[in-house]
Amino acid sequence: MGKTRVARTGNEAMAEAIRQINPDVVAAYPITPATEVMQIFATYVADGLVDTELVPTESEHSAMSAAIGSQVAGARTMTATSSQGLALMYEMLYIAAGLRLPLIMAEVNRALSAPINIHCDHSDTMGGRDAGWIQIFSENSQEAYDNLIQAVRIAEHKDVLLPIMVTTDGFIISHAMEAMEIYDDKDVRGFIGTYKPLLPALDHRNPITVGAIDFVDYYFEHRRAVAQAMINAKDVILEVGREFGRKFGQEYGFYEAYKLDDAEVAMVCLGSTAGTGKDAIDNLRKRGIKAGLLKIRVFRPFPAEELAARLRCVPQICVLDRSDALAATGGPLFAELLAAMYEDRSEHKIINRIYGLGGRDIKVGEIEELLSAQVSAAAGGKSIDRIAYLGVRE
Amino acid sequence: MKDIANNWKDLPVGGVIDEPGTAINYETGDWRTLRPVHNKEKCINCLACWVYCPDAAIMLKDGKVEGIDLKHCKGCGICAQECPPKVKAIKMVEEADFR
Amino acid sequence: MGEIIEIRWHGRGGQGAKTAALLLADAALGEGKHIQAFPEYGPERMGAPVQAFNRISEEPIRLHCQVTNPSIVVVLDTTLAGTVDVVAGLPEDGIILFNTAEEPAAIRKRLSIKGLKVFTVDASGIAKEKIGRDVPNTPMMGALIKVTGLLDFDRMLEDNKKKLTKKFRNKPEVIAGNIEAIETAYQEVKSE
């Protein structure tokens, strides 16, 4: 197994993965901070390094429409977008899922307007969380690359056949150069295999109708089948993650647990904050506070039972949401985790902090302070806000 | 035509209709309030009705109009409208008159 | 968790602060170190003050927050010092390196810098002479390595030669010019 140690930004890492995947078709429209993914990939197309038909469209809605058409035709298809671009794709996201198309998207998390902002938060993909797309978050460039390679196998698995988005944090990962390892082309291609579409529309010997109408008679059954595909994706994600580990060295699951086994307090988060969090956990442990971290990698399907089981032994939990549901039950990650742990609720104090909107930095010290305050409040029997904002100027 | 599954597990993936021409199984003839009556004597077989019929309900035999497929004709009257004025080989008649 | 060295680059949009951070990170990677290089993004355009950052460590780097307390600052354009707080967050024994023909003592006095180790090098002058254009970022790399000892100079030079050869296959004079500029800056950087 050949590996090369390189320095890559998140966008470069994703473009590299797409080059190695060598999709039949890529349809995309540029948007900051995801633009570079396609900009770099377009040079690969121009240089003849891939066999891909690159379709530059006039909007993200068109990009997703073209990607859907191409995937229906039987082509392995990818796209990349961010923020408003994903928002413009919104109605087509549901169509891709409902038609059970294993489309693959490189998504770079960015805040939504207004006010205009180009920096990271998770509001964009949270908006599409119930669209029927598998959602996998990445902590760094390496994970973005690894996740995108695995995404092909997950999406195209016969028990799944759902579109998938792999995300990175805008600028924090997309534009930050880090050391990572890339694998040899032949190993990646061997791992992903060739795409065998179930019912390609261009198979003229077996004509099909795609996108037919379903009224009260069958719509519900078809949506139930989409839900089942999402449920099935859980086993497939684990299976592909294990196989990836055997082949490339790093195994992947639903989450990563860091110093969690004896933790009295744990933070739960998505994406790049987990990296900063690990340094905070180490500092807290030096100070004698048994802190741990749980980084959720797979947000859709939401691994509710697995997360609840893993956190069962942790009395104090702080869920960090990089998006706000605005006067709902906290952020989306908190609400889902709280529901997942409902049956164990008496054992835990679970709090929520909305942080980092529009790219607002989160520092090691802030996380340390947050978790140590939660521990002292618990020890002193003091109350602490269940849902609050972290890092906003009050 | 295959039987449609009565549970979600056996439905074709993605709501695809995996065989062509299934519209023939959906009989729309009883939507009709006006029935086209074709007069073979007057008909010049220009096939304008066949071209314009939105339901492919004009039946041909050896390139000539054989009659109307009443299982699918919805009685829209486009055939009668498109039949050349000097020919007038299709007349729309109240469906009630046939019952 | 090993010690992480944090560096901040100040420049103007178009001057190559981001490229300098990328080059340094790439060179450090070549020595088997763990690295990060990232610019500060905003609405900045050509000429506007910009910043770029590096983290360099013997251990894997997990931090993904901004760099606010660097131990080293590199100022690619000394005229920025009037409008941007270039010493912000530096510790008492921090290093600051300016691209200027002035002496370190003169800069210290003019900018009222207290503490810190101040270094200067005329990277723009060197670049104009050796490369033919005012591209101070590569010579600044040479000076930075001299004053910090961050990397092995000869290995960095070798690494740079390889990368430049790849990039400027048809312009051997650019390669030679860049290498000479790095070497000159390495020798000419001034301390107090």
Side-chain angles (χ1 to χ4, degrees):
Chain A
M1 195 61 42
K3 287 184 186 182
T4 316
R5 204 171 127 82
V6 294
R8 291 282 187 277
T9 66
N11 282 346
E12 288 168 347
M14 282 190 152
E16 179 71 6
I18 302 173
R19 183 190 65 72
Q20 294 184 314
I21 293 165
N22 192 16
D24 300 311
V25 174
V26 164
Y29 185 83
I31 180 164
T32 303
T35 302
E36 271 184 345
V37 177
M38 278 305 129
Q39 190 180 326
I40 297 163
F41 183 72
T43 67
Y44 299 154
V45 175
D47 292 344
L49 301 179
V50 287
D51 309 306
T52 307
E53 179 75 30
L54 179 64
V55 188
T57 55
E58 74 277 21
S59 76
E60 286 87 355
H61 188 282
S62 306
M64 185 45 64
S65 302
I68 287 170
S70 145
Q71 193 85 45
V72 163
R76 183 183 266 162
T77 307
M78 296 184 73
T79 189
T81 196
S82 195
S83 184
Q84 310 299 127
L86 185 68
L88 188 53
M89 289 177 176
Y90 188 68
E91 63 162 334
M92 305 312 295
L93 295 180
Y94 282 76
I95 291 173
L99 294 178
R100 305 289 300 281
L101 303 174
L103 273 169
I104 305 151
M105 180 194 291
E107 211 280 346
V108 183
N109 282 118
R110 167 186 149 181
L112 290 167
S113 297
I116 294 177
N117 179 292
I118 58 169
H119 290 279
C120 174
D121 68 37
H122 299 153
S123 312
D124 53 355
T125 51
M126 285 301 164
R129 70 182 186 267
D130 298 333
W133 284 63
I134 295 167
Q135 294 190 335
I136 300 189
F137 284 76
S138 321
E139 181 184 322
N140 49 37
S141 297
Q142 183 75 58
E143 289 192 6
Y145 171 76
D146 291 353
N147 285 337
L148 211 46
I149 293 168
Q150 291 171 71
V152 181
R153 287 279 303 277
I154 297 165
E156 292 174 2
H157 193 282
K158 65 173 176 43
D159 297 337
V160 180
L161 291 172
L162 282 178
I164 186 164
M165 56 179 83
V166 170
T167 80
T168 61
D169 282 353
F171 291 105
I172 301 167
I173 301 304
S174 71
H175 286 63
M177 194 166 95
E178 295 183 308
M180 60 172 287
E181 283 174 333
I182 56 171
Y183 318 120
D184 289 352
D185 288 5
K186 66 169 174 29
D187 296 331
V188 173
R189 287 181 189 164
F191 182 80
I192 62 169
T194 45
Y195 176 46
K196 293 178 200 76
L198 192 63
L199 290 168
L202 288 187
D203 178 3
H204 62 85
R205 287 174 306 271
N206 298 295
I208 56 164
T209 303
V210 177
I213 204 165
D214 251 5
F215 280 135
V216 288
D217 50 357
Y218 275 99
Y219 180 86
F220 202 168
E221 279 73 20
H222 277 123
R223 295 311 294 186
R224 175 66 185 84
V226 176
Q228 190 60 41
M230 197 56 103
I231 295 164
N232 296 346
K234 287 178 68 176
D235 282 343
V236 174
I237 288 166
L238 293 179
E239 185 186 308
V240 171
R242 277 193 295 268
E243 194 186 320
F244 188 87
R246 283 196 297 274
K247 183 148 187 171
F248 298 107
Q250 176 63 54
E251 191 178 316
Y252 285 89
F254 295 135
Y255 57 80
E256 181 195 343
Y258 184 73
K259 303 194 176 174
L260 204 58
D261 290 338
D262 63 341
E264 55 182 328
V265 62
M267 66 177 272
V268 178
C269 67
L270 295 163
S272 66
T273 302
T276 310
K278 287 171 192 168
D279 277 16
I281 300 303
D282 287 358
N283 291 349
L284 285 164
R285 287 200 169 248
K286 274 182 210 153
R287 287 163 50 189
I289 297 171
K290 285 182 187 162
L293 178 148
L294 188 134
K295 173 185 77 186
I296 297 178
R297 170 182 178 242
V298 178
F299 187 69
R300 281 290 181 273
F302 192 72
E305 298 89 21
E306 292 82 357
L307 293 173
R310 194 66 184 83
L311 287 166
R312 193 155 290 147
C313 55
V314 186
Q316 301 290 326
I317 298 168
C318 178
V319 181
L320 287 166
D321 263 290
R322 201 162 199 154
S323 61
D324 193 4
L326 308 168
T329 319
L333 190 56
F334 175 70
E336 301 239 0
L337 196 71
L338 204 61
M341 302 191 71
Y342 178 73
E343 283 169 15
D344 301 317
R345 64 196 180 283
S346 58
E347 314 291 323
H348 304 278
K349 172 76 181 173
I350 310 178
I351 65 165
N352 184 210
R353 293 296 177 263
I354 311 287
Y355 78 101
L357 300 188
R360 176 64 48 83
D361 197 20
I362 181 161
K363 300 204 170 297
V364 176
E366 285 174 294
I367 298 173
E368 280 181 55
E369 202 175 307
L370 180 64
L371 299 189
S372 63
Q374 190 177 357
V375 170
S376 348
K382 277 180 289 183
S383 80
I384 183 168
D385 282 342
R386 200 160 79 110
I387 299 165
Y389 293 89
L390 174 71
V392 71
R393 280 169 285 189
E394 297 287 356
Chain B
M1 188 207 174
K2 285 177 230 164
D3 285 335
I4 298 174
N6 63 3
N7 67 71
W8 62 265
K9 297 178 192 85
D10 299 329
L11 285 175
V13 171
V16 156
I17 301 169
D18 56 5
E19 60 177 319
T22 52
I24 202 160
N25 300 316
Y26 192 15
E27 296 187 359
T28 49
D30 59 358
W31 297 12
R32 202 170 52 237
T33 57
L34 293 172
R35 176 185 294 198
V37 177
H38 176 242
N39 186 334
K40 267 190 182 176
E41 314 284 287
K42 288 186 181 175
C43 180
I44 58 167
N45 290 301
C46 67
L47 305 191
C49 56
W50 178 78
V51 167
Y52 285 100
C53 176
D55 279 303
I58 307 294
M59 300 186 294
L60 300 187
K61 194 181 175 188
D62 302 328
K64 291 182 175 162
V65 177
E66 176 73 8
I68 315 286
D69 170 5
L70 292 175
K71 280 187 176 156
H72 296 95
C73 168
K74 293 175 190 150
C76 69
I78 289 174
C79 53
Q81 179 71 27
E82 296 301 329
C83 187
K86 285 181 185 167
V87 181
K88 289 275 175 209
I90 298 175
K91 194 176 154 201
M92 300 305 291
V93 181
E94 286 287 336
E95 189 65 29
D97 295 352
F98 296 92
R99 291 188 182 162
Chain C
M1 188 177 57
E3 198 204 346
I4 299 174
I5 295 163
E6 295 183 319
I7 304 171
R8 183 173 67 222
W9 298 77
H10 288 279
R12 294 188 182 277
Q15 221 171 18
K18 180 189 165 189
T19 308
L22 295 179
L23 282 173
L24 179 69
D26 221 357
L29 183 82
E31 292 200 9
K33 294 184 193 298
H34 291 268
I35 52 105
Q36 277 183 356
F38 52 96
E40 164 210 59
Y41 275 94
E44 292 85 3
R45 294 290 177 271
M46 186 82 87
V50 295
Q51 297 178 18
F53 307 93
N54 280 119
R55 285 194 176 101
I56 298 175
S57 170
E58 299 297 331
E59 303 292 324
I61 303 169
R62 305 176 299 194
L63 281 175
H64 282 116
C65 50
Q66 294 299 307
V67 170
T68 42
N69 295 97
S71 54
I72 302 163
V73 164
V74 186
V75 185
L76 288 179
D77 188 330
T78 302
T79 63
L80 279 170
T83 49
V84 179
D85 185 6
V86 292
V87 297
L90 275 169
E92 186 82 344
D93 61 345
I95 289 174
I96 187 159
L97 168 65
F98 291 94
N99 168 23
T100 176
E102 284 179 84
E103 293 294 322
I107 283 278
R108 175 186 289 284
K109 197 176 163 206
R110 190 157 65 76
L111 299 177
S112 324
I113 296 172
K114 290 177 191 72
L116 309 180
K117 295 170 206 152
V118 181
F119 299 91
T120 64
V121 66
D122 184 13
S124 287
I126 294 170
K128 276 184 235 166
E129 189 197 324
K130 305 287 181 191
I131 308 170
R133 280 196 307 137
D134 184 2
V135 278
N137 53 13
T138 43
M140 283 302 263
M141 279 255 294
L144 177 66
I145 286 166
K146 176 74 172 282
V147 302
T148 60
L150 266 177
L151 305 174
D152 182 274
F153 182 71
D154 292 327
R155 273 221 296 247
M156 184 277 285
L157 208 59
E158 212 35 57
D159 193 55
N160 250 290
K161 215 179 280 182
K162 258 188 255 163
K163 277 172 198 136
L164 290 164
T165 310
K166 231 177 180 178
K167 200 172 166 186
F168 297 103
R169 233 165 312 168
N170 307 319
K171 291 182 182 168
E173 71 281 3
V174 175
I175 305 163
N178 268 286
I179 296 299
E180 272 180 52
I182 297 172
E183 280 175 322
T184 310
Y186 182 83
Q187 285 148 11
E188 289 185 1
V189 61
K190 294 172 204 159
S191 61
E192 286 175 281

